[in-house]
Amino acid sequence: MKLTLALSKGRIFEETAEILSKVGIVPQEDPEKSRKLIIETSNPDIRLIIVRASDVPTYVQFGGADFGVAGLDVLMEKGTDGLYVPYDLNIAKCRMSVAVREGFDYAAAVKQGSRLKVATKYVNCAREHFANKGVHIDTIQLYGSMELAPLVGLADAIVDLVSTGNTLKANGLVEVEPIADISARLVVNQASYKRKRAQLQPIFELLK
Ligand code: PRT
Ligand code: MG
């Protein structure tokens, strides 16, 4: 039986491919160069599909892929219904944080009980984080370039991923509160896990 692994382009693909290649499973094309969405590997029983990072859980949940690699940020935001999430792969690490414009007194705003406008791709995570703090927020859903929102007055704060902090710095923003440590997780289709376990388990051991 052929196994299909769902990956997103960029850091998830690169870091997963690096692990796979150590055990001789080598992608036959580079998704940054090829337009192909289905990529065969040197192992005839394993193929890759290339999807948006936020679509990985959907493909796996509905059986478009047997397993996949998804950021914890995506899983926190969309939930893990219908997925088996066995391992932290410890790759694509970063943190989810609250950031504001330099000079914006976040602590004072929180203390005063001000209502904050928060721009983010992660509206569910943001709502939960601020609800736990007892801070009222209005969320503004964005799909990218969140760092811009406080600079043009769209929002008081953003909830975004930070790794080196260079993007925030380059845009005059500061990280004021960590929300969660993020890394990539293995996600598995529950039916595949039952039917193809003998084939999947050795690959899990390698990835782990
Ligand atoms: O691009 P697309 O909308 O399809 O999806 P995506 O942007 O979520 O995909 P991608 O490939 O950028 O990220 C895939 C996964 O990598 C995310 O879901 C995270 O789990 C993980 N990851 C790890 C990161 C980062 N580190 C990261 N730094 N994802 C995004 N970033 C971005 C961040 O959003 C910010 O814009 O990088 C910028 C900050 O980086 P620094 O180093 O300047 O702090
Ligand atoms: Mg991206």
Side-chain angles (χ1 to χ4, degrees):
M1 277 186 289
K2 198 146 181 139
L3 292 176
T4 302
L5 170 61
L7 298 175
S8 54
K9 261 203 248 191
R11 61 196 108 214
I12 299 247
F13 176 86
E14 282 152 26
E15 294 188 41
T16 307
E18 196 185 316
I19 304 176
L20 291 175
S21 67
K22 283 186 188 148
V23 292
I25 302 169
V26 182
Q28 301 293 276
E29 292 190 65
D30 176 355
E32 298 297 340
K33 293 183 189 135
S34 160
R35 288 171 185 270
K36 278 197 182 156
L37 299 174
I38 299 180
I39 297 183
E40 300 297 331
T41 73
S42 54
N43 182 330
D45 292 333
I46 302 175
R47 65 175 187 175
L48 310 176
I49 61 169
I50 305 300
V51 304
R52 287 292 288 261
S54 51
D55 289 336
V56 168
T58 309
Y59 275 89
V60 174
Q61 179 185 351
F62 295 107
D66 298 294
F67 62 136
V69 177
L72 180 61
D73 51 314
V74 172
L75 300 176
M76 282 167 47
E77 183 63 20
K78 308 192 90 185
T80 56
D81 272 4
L83 294 173
Y84 173 54
V85 188
Y87 305 117
D88 184 348
L89 298 174
N90 277 307
I91 59 170
K93 285 190 188 180
C94 59
R95 55 197 181 274
M96 187 183 287
S97 293
V98 181
V100 299
R101 204 173 159 163
E102 257 167 44
F104 178 85
D105 195 340
Y106 176 71
V110 166
K111 206 169 161 200
Q112 285 160 18
S114 312
R115 201 176 176 90
L116 293 177
K117 276 189 287 178
V118 179
T120 185
K121 183 156 103 174
Y122 305 102
V123 290
N124 294 324
C125 295
R127 285 197 190 108
E128 192 187 329
H129 174 73
F130 286 102
N132 288 336
K133 285 173 60 78
V135 173
H136 294 285
I137 63 164
D138 293 312
T139 52
I140 298 165
Q141 168 95 66
L142 294 178
Y143 296 94
S145 305
M146 266 83 80
E147 293 86 359
L148 190 59
L151 305 179
V152 296
L154 194 65
D156 303 306
I158 60 171
V159 167
D160 196 7
L161 304 178
V162 184
S163 45
T164 61
N166 290 340
T167 307
L168 291 181
K169 203 168 169 197
N171 291 292
L173 302 179
V174 285
E175 193 177 355
V176 287
E177 199 163 70
I179 297 179
D181 285 324
I182 303 294
S183 54
R185 310 293 154 120
L186 192 64
V187 294
V188 187
N189 176 274
Q190 288 180 341
S192 299
Y193 187 66
K194 288 185 194 126
R195 286 194 305 121
K196 301 184 180 177
R197 189 166 182 163
Q199 251 180 308
L200 284 167
Q201 199 62 46
I203 302 169
F204 294 171
E205 292 304 320
L206 299 171
L207 290 171
K208 184 165 77 163

